[in-house]
Amino acid sequence: MPIEFTFTPEQEALRSAVRQFLEKEVAPVVAAMDESESFPEATVRRMREEGYFGVPIPEEYGGLGLGKVGYCILLEELGRVDASHGAIVGAHTSLGTTPLLSYGTEEQKRRWLVPAARGERLLAFSLTEPGSGSDSGAVQTVAERRGDGFVLTGTKIYVTNGREADTVIVMAGTDVKLGPSGGVTAFLLDKGLPGFTVGRCEKKMGLHGTSTAELVLDHVEVGPERVLGEVGKGFHVAMTALDVGRVSLGAASLGGIDAACAQALTFAQERTQFGLPISEYEAIQFKLSDMAMHAHALRFMVYHAAARQDRMGPDPKKWGRLERAQKTREAATIKCLGSEWASEAIDEALQIHGGLGYIRGTPIERAYRDARISEIFEGTNEIQRLVIARDLLARGL
Ligand SMILES: Cc1cc2nc3c(=O)[nH]c(=O)nc-3n(C[C@H](O)[C@H](O)[C@H](O)COP(=O)(O)OP(=O)(O)OC[C@H]3O[C@@H](n4cnc5c(N)ncnc54)[C@H](O)[C@@H]3O)c2cc1C
């Protein structure tokens, strides 16, 4: 059985439709969005209309039914054009719709997943708190039992889409002493619930089209229908979402490397110094070769992992222990390598542009600011290396 793989005609059609759409509708607005630091409402609305907020979700739940491979194609294409649009779709899809599909009851899927996959409602995911970042099981937001429901109190931070989302998947401690092993539960909180408000939104070095919001929960009362997955098993919910998120981040990084390489290649062939195009100098050629090598390797890694996740399906009860461990290690590897390779490629592409690369408003300058966060969010790269090392020590290579 050959290990070579190719995209289906349907996947190729998705790529070409997305590429056309992004070039025509998104690329022209990105510089102004970045400068004004505003959420790109008009293009997000158009992406919703195109079905891009439900690419991996089965058609019976309102999505396009194109799986994780289709979703990674979308994220790769977004990564070529604009990281903010990629992060908006990623927070909604990887971190919002994935856990609903994997852990939602049929009723929850009808109520929250279907409108989200159709793009009628925007989702966000909220794990991080002021005192709980990498140590994500140490959440201090509490969910106390009241009758058959809960009362949530606490402060969450750094929530992508937090300002605009209609529904946020919030991790809260139902038994803070137990931490991640049985003490954290996932809740579906709609904006407008009494006591649930958006606090400050951060100013950032990049991703200017996204909101990064604080969420304040002041005695938010919820019924049992808002518990996603089992009580105390919120960490499984979060990790399932992050396994998908980390592979799709790799896809977005791949798009970032492709775009950086293309821009650097064009510039190097046009820019003449010492009587020759700078592309004639080996020092420049080697930088371009490194970008191409990393893009080649990352492409195989991303789509191999996405195809594996498609093969495993969305039901966690059907995943074997080994398969689950392999999926998690693979996702951590792709997120870590992909983000570092993208940062490196964009840095070198900026260097190839010389002084022009440092001038505000050039695509490579924006990409440089946007790319840095991929080494930090969805688990820092130090944490990815810990995940990989723990699995390595437990299972070997
Ligand atoms: C723009 C943006 C968007 C975000 N979006 C979301 C979102 O949508 N939802 C959400 O829940 N969160 C989100 N986050 C939060 C993000 O996931 C966290 O910032 C990240 O996980 C790191 O947590 P921290 O900032 O608290 O850093 P810390 O955990 O305090 O880490 C500080 C440093 O210490 C290192 N470190 C920590 N522990 C160890 C260890 N055991 N071994 C070695 N090194 C260690 C880290 O790697 C890092 O370098 C977002 C953050 C940003 C900036």
Side-chain angles (χ1 to χ4, degrees):
M1 169 105 161
I3 61 163
E4 187 186 350
F5 58 81
T6 51
F7 294 108
T8 64
E10 196 184 27
Q11 290 161 347
E12 293 289 8
L14 172 72
R15 185 185 294 284
S16 113
V18 170
R19 189 170 291 190
Q20 264 185 3
F21 169 83
L22 294 175
E23 274 168 16
K24 185 161 165 257
E25 305 203 29
V26 175
V29 306
V30 169
M33 173 209 74
D34 179 56
E35 199 54 36
S36 62
E37 302 193 21
S38 51
F39 185 81
E41 291 209 18
T43 43
V44 164
R45 189 177 56 250
R46 284 287 299 117
M47 289 201 298
R48 290 172 171 199
E49 288 164 5
E50 295 293 325
Y52 297 160
F53 281 81
V55 169
I57 303 303
E59 285 167 279
E60 60 170 317
Y61 293 119
L64 296 186
L66 297 172
K68 307 289 191 302
V69 171
Y71 176 51
C72 282
I73 289 172
L74 172 69
L75 263 287
E76 182 190 342
E77 293 302 317
L78 281 163
R80 290 166 64 102
V81 174
D82 178 48
S84 286
H85 282 76
I88 293 164
V89 172
H92 168 95
T93 312
S94 309
L95 307 182
T97 60
T98 300
L100 271 165
L101 182 65
S102 286
Y103 295 93
T105 61
E106 196 52 36
E107 202 183 323
Q108 287 173 329
K109 286 179 189 163
R110 296 280 154 219
R111 179 165 170 191
W112 281 288
L113 179 58
V114 171
R118 285 192 189 137
E120 292 157 9
R121 289 177 76 80
L122 189 68
L123 302 180
F125 170 88
S126 175
L127 177 60
T128 307
E129 298 184 2
S132 161
S134 299
D135 186 7
S136 54
V139 289
Q140 291 300 309
T141 293
V142 289
E144 286 175 312
R145 281 243 182 233
R146 179 169 301 171
D148 61 352
F150 293 86
V151 180
L152 279 76
T153 306
T155 302
K156 311 297 279 188
I157 56 168
Y158 297 164
V159 185
T160 304
N161 292 344
R163 187 178 51 204
E164 299 81 15
D166 301 290
T167 303
V168 186
I169 297 178
V170 173
M171 299 294 154
T174 30
D175 189 340
V176 172
K177 286 190 309 299
L178 290 178
S181 322
V184 177
T185 301
F187 292 90
L188 288 154
L189 299 192
D190 293 334
K191 287 282 178 56
L193 279 173
F196 184 29
T197 49
V198 178
R200 76 180 248 133
C201 288
E202 305 294 343
K203 294 279 262 181
K204 309 186 290 294
M205 72 181 271
L207 285 194
H208 284 174
T210 69
S211 63
T212 303
E214 176 189 53
L215 299 177
V216 181
L217 293 90
D218 181 8
H219 297 89
V220 182
E221 288 190 39
V222 298
E225 74 284 359
R226 290 184 182 274
V227 174
L228 181 60
E230 289 175 46
V231 172
K233 297 280 177 66
F235 226 64
H236 294 278
V237 176
M239 291 308 129
T240 299
L242 288 167
D243 279 352
V244 174
R246 289 167 184 174
V247 173
S248 68
L249 252 181
S253 295
L254 173 59
I257 300 174
D258 282 345
C261 188
Q263 286 161 27
L265 204 53
T266 306
F267 184 84
Q269 286 168 312
E270 286 170 358
R271 176 70 173 168
T272 296
Q273 288 294 279
F274 301 101
L276 285 174
I278 59 170
S279 59
E280 294 297 314
Y281 301 121
E282 266 187 0
I284 302 292
Q285 291 172 359
F286 287 1
K287 292 183 198 299
L288 294 167
S289 306
D290 284 352
M291 293 177 208
M293 287 192 286
H294 286 161
H296 183 73
L298 189 56
R299 181 162 288 111
F300 280 89
M301 288 162 64
V302 163
Y303 289 104
H304 180 266
R308 182 207 294 279
Q309 293 192 354
D310 279 339
R311 225 173 22 251
M312 286 172 70
D315 184 357
K317 291 196 200 78
K318 296 192 176 147
W319 301 340
R321 209 171 54 83
L322 271 183
E323 208 178 25
R324 197 188 282 256
Q326 218 155 359
K327 170 169 82 83
T328 297
R329 189 203 291 190
E330 193 167 50
T333 304
I334 289 167
K335 189 274 185 187
C336 192
L337 275 180
S339 59
E340 289 174 10
W341 285 345
S343 289
E344 193 183 312
I346 291 165
D347 187 33
E348 292 290 34
L350 188 150
Q351 188 72 11
I352 289 173
H353 282 75
L356 182 63
Y358 196 70
I359 301 302
R360 188 75 185 252
T362 55
I364 199 66
E365 179 266 346
R366 187 179 65 250
Y368 184 82
R369 285 184 283 107
D370 284 345
R372 188 63 179 82
I373 187 59
S374 296
E375 295 178 53
I376 298 170
F377 66 7
E378 300 210 15
T380 65
N381 284 6
E382 287 78 9
I383 296 303
Q384 306 310 315
R385 286 185 164 89
L386 277 185
V387 168
I388 294 162
R390 276 187 199 134
D391 189 51
L392 199 52
L393 290 167
R395 290 197 303 126
L397 203 58

